[in-house]
Amino acid sequence: MVQTDAVDVCHSEDWHMRTIFPRRRAPAADRDVGIPAARRDPSRPHRILILGGGFAGVLTAQEIEKRTRRRDDVEIWLVNRENFMLFTPLLPEVCSGALEARHCVTALRAMLRKRSSWALTASVKTIDLERQLVTVLGGDGHEHRLAFDTLVVALGGETSTFNIPGIHEYAAGMKTLADAFALRNRVIEMLERADLEADPAERQSQLTFVVGGAGFSGVETAGEIEAFIARLRRRYYPAIGADEIRTYLVELKDRVLPEMPPEMGDYAARTLARRGFEVLLNTPIKEVRADAVVLGDERREIGTRTVIWTGGVRPLPLVAESGLDCDRAGRAITQPTMQTSNPAVFAIGDCALIPNPDDPEGKPHAPTAQNAVREARRLAQNILARIDGRPMQPFRYDPLGTLASIGHHTGVGVVFGVRVRGLIAWFMWRGYYWSRVPGFKGKVRVAIDWMLGALFGSDPVQLKVEYDEVGLGPSGVRRPRRRFIDPRS
């Protein structure tokens, strides 16, 4: 029986480089990180190293666990930058206060059940395909090298700015939990400032909100933000008039929700326009400044202090740097089985280009959460088939449909070919994503949040934590408080 009760930390020739191996009954010499996987002791379990703790990575690990309950010849190592999985479809509701932040995340260690499964909190630095090693940077500030027999690249993506000046410096994103917190604080801060502002131009700038990108993320964020502002303004900021709030939805393409049929996008655009949004199509964002955004070739300037960027996602550069065959966007090119140009490496999710064998035009599967759930199941089957010497099967799946929320209990979607909109679409959207929340406890917490939000509404509380001013931060280093200087001296 493989023993995995503890972890040995073996120092390599570099003092700052450590190699982590599970403690098991194996000769000490076999723990040398330089030994290729093919020459390791066969008594070692087959190590499946999964990079990324999103839908694709976590569900792949869970499916492998389910299929290897009675086996001790396979172990799973899951590496993620955070120690939790973020349920990204509900992120706009965290920003609007409809959902408690902790209730849209699940600890990775709670999602892996087998004793031979490990969850590591670290950032991936390099991938060495030749030596079958991955170098990660842990929270201790040291680099660790992890050997693997099978590698799953599920690193997801990062926000793509398309080299627009000022996006990184002045725009808010909607990709991470920190983004949702920052945007919520930003919206409340603008209302607080506007409530005291005497300068009409500055007040208007504070009450102007621009959302860049009219895909799923952009439309859902726009709908939630507008509903959030409306609720707060009516109850807590009566001095701010409804006509003072200005909201813009800016899209480079010629319609809203290009992933859906045109009539669904038109319905979403009309609904948002009735609520006060100015929907600007075929309009690129040229520049973002601290107090304005520049739009279109005519360089129209809109004064604003809040720009929300949801315009696109690109794979992490690390995927292309690893040496795998990639497309121009940097996604790993895979076979229909999700195997890459390296037989020991599979790719899944946003960072993978997975061909659809049933598509006559050869289009790949869309990088959506719905596809990632199904891809993970097939990938787990294929990895075990490769380990056991059985043939692998291509991934085939026809999406059930698409749904989007646009706030105020309104949604749009296509389900089993049927177009739905309004309240029923919103219920279906919430119902589907509620069913995908991990665990019974998670589902209960989300349901309670929704019920309390419907009963009591939102509140204008800003949750600010600045670790450079308060005691012990997450790094474990206690920082000194700032010295007070008497301005009269």
Side-chain angles (χ1 to χ4, degrees), residues 395-408:
F395 171 67
R396 286 185 166 90
Y397 175 66
D398 291 324
L400 302 176
T402 54
L403 291 163
S405 168
I406 51 179
H408 290 284

Side-chain angles (χ1 to χ4, degrees), residues 4 36 60-61 139 148 154 164 196 226 243 297 310 315 326 353 366 373 388:
T4 58
T60 298
F148 64 85
I164 299 173
L196 298 173
E226 185 275 331
D243 58 341
D297 295 331
T310 66
C326 297
L353 184 72
V373 171
D388 298 336

Side-chain angles (χ1 to χ4, degrees), residues 186-261:
R186 183 68 174 175
V187 169
I188 297 172
E189 180 70 18
M190 291 301 99
L191 294 176
E192 293 283 357
R193 291 187 185 184
D195 205 36
L196 298 173
E197 185 61 57
D199 182 0
E202 181 61 26
R203 179 183 173 95
Q204 186 59 74
S205 178
Q206 293 163 354
L207 296 177
T208 299
F209 304 88
V210 179
V211 179
F216 284 113
S217 180
V219 167
E220 291 176 354
T221 300
E224 284 295 324
I225 288 297
E226 185 275 331
F228 181 52
I229 294 171
R231 291 194 298 267
L232 291 185
R233 184 197 60 78
R234 284 194 300 266
R235 184 171 181 180
Y236 300 104
Y237 303 94
I240 299 175
D243 58 341
E244 294 184 87
I245 304 293
R246 292 184 182 175
T247 48
Y248 297 83
L249 181 62
V250 184
E251 171 56 41
L252 178 62
K253 297 180 181 179
D254 59 356
R255 62 190 179 93
V256 172
L257 292 176
E259 305 89 345
M260 285 190 178

Side-chain angles (χ1 to χ4, degrees), residues 168-465:
H168 278 303
E169 293 82 0
Y170 304 116
M174 187 47 69
K175 182 70 177 172
T176 67
L177 195 60
D179 289 338
F181 265 113
L183 182 54
R184 174 185 169 85
N185 284 338
R186 183 68 174 175
V187 169
I188 297 172
E189 180 70 18
M190 291 301 99
L191 294 176
E192 293 283 357
R193 291 187 185 184
D195 205 36
L196 298 173
E197 185 61 57
D199 182 0
E202 181 61 26
R203 179 183 173 95
Q204 186 59 74
S205 178
Q206 293 163 354
L207 296 177
T208 299
F209 304 88
V210 179
V211 179
F216 284 113
S217 180
V219 167
E220 291 176 354
T221 300
E224 284 295 324
I225 288 297
E226 185 275 331
F228 181 52
I229 294 171
R231 291 194 298 267
L232 291 185
R233 184 197 60 78
R234 284 194 300 266
R235 184 171 181 180
Y236 300 104
Y237 303 94
I240 299 175
D243 58 341
E244 294 184 87
I245 304 293
R246 292 184 182 175
T247 48
Y248 297 83
L249 181 62
V250 184
E251 171 56 41
L252 178 62
K253 297 180 181 179
D254 59 356
R255 62 190 179 93
V256 172
L257 292 176
E259 305 89 345
M260 285 190 178
E263 57 268 31
M264 295 292 100
D266 293 341
Y267 172 80
R270 291 195 305 270
T271 301
L272 290 173
R274 283 198 302 268
R275 298 179 193 161
F277 267 91
E278 185 174 343
V279 181
L280 304 176
L281 303 178
N282 297 307
T283 304
I285 293 180
K286 292 294 187 178
E287 183 183 358
V288 179
R289 302 171 185 164
D291 58 354
V293 59
V294 180
L295 305 176
D297 295 331
E298 69 280 6
R299 299 190 69 83
R300 173 188 176 186
E301 188 171 315
I302 298 175
T304 179
R305 294 286 183 176
T306 307
V307 177
I308 306 160
W309 177 249
T310 66
V313 175
R314 66 179 181 184
L316 294 176
L318 178 65
V319 178
E321 294 168 0
S322 68
L324 296 172
D325 290 345
C326 297
D327 67 354
R328 290 191 301 175
R331 295 176 295 178
I333 300 173
T334 76
Q335 301 174 24
T337 58
M338 288 166 278
Q339 194 174 37
T340 67
S341 55
N342 187 305
V345 181
F346 295 79
I348 185 175
D350 290 350
C351 65
L353 184 72
I354 304 173
N356 185 349
D358 299 326
D359 190 282
E361 299 180 4
K363 293 182 179 179
H365 290 282
T368 63
Q370 185 181 158
N371 278 348
V373 171
R374 274 75 182 182
E375 289 168 3
R377 294 173 183 169
R378 173 55 63 187
L379 178 56
Q381 296 171 23
N382 283 343
I383 289 174
L384 295 178
R386 180 177 178 271
I387 293 174
D388 298 336
R390 295 181 282 108
M392 296 182 289
Q393 301 298 321
F395 171 67
R396 286 185 166 90
Y397 175 66
D398 291 324
L400 302 176
T402 54
L403 291 163
S405 168
I406 51 179
H408 290 284
H409 302 164
T410 307
V412 293
V414 180
V415 181
F416 296 114
V418 179
R419 290 165 171 76
V420 292
R421 61 187 186 182
L423 182 62
I424 186 173
W426 179 80
F427 269 118
M428 295 174 71
W429 177 85
R430 271 207 164 178
Y432 174 76
Y433 283 118
W434 179 80
S435 71
R436 305 309 311 178
V437 173
F440 177 75
K441 180 172 64 175
K443 290 180 174 64
V444 171
R445 286 176 169 173
V446 169
I448 291 175
D449 279 350
W450 284 342
M451 181 182 66
L452 294 177
L455 291 174
F456 303 112
S458 304
D459 60 66
V461 174
Q462 289 177 284
L463 300 176
K464 294 182 179 180
V465 179

Side-chain angles (χ1 to χ4, degrees), residues 78-147:
L78 178 64
V79 180
N80 193 45
R81 183 173 54 186
E82 309 288 351
N83 77 336
F84 56 79
M85 186 190 85
L86 174 64
F87 198 82
T88 51
L90 297 180
L91 203 55
E93 297 208 0
V94 174
C95 179
S96 68
L99 190 64
E100 170 67 32
R102 290 190 305 110
H103 298 168
C104 76
V105 299
T106 306
L108 294 178
R109 293 176 183 270
M111 302 184 78
L112 301 181
R113 302 298 180 86
K114 291 186 66 176
R115 295 181 64 208
S116 58
S117 297
W118 301 76
L120 304 180
T121 303
S123 299
V124 181
K125 305 300 291 183
T126 62
I127 300 174
D128 187 339
L129 298 180
E130 183 178 352
R131 300 180 66 194
Q132 296 190 200
L133 295 174
V134 173
T135 302
V136 301
L137 180 65
D140 57 359
H142 295 289
E143 290 186 342
H144 307 267
R145 294 185 295 188
L146 309 178

Side-chain angles (χ1 to χ4, degrees), residues 9-19 140-145:
V9 179
C10 306
H11 292 272
S12 69
E13 63 276 9
D14 299 319
W15 67 269
H16 64 284
M17 188 80 75
R18 300 176 181 177
T19 304
D140 57 359
H142 295 289
E143 290 186 342
H144 307 267
R145 294 185 295 188

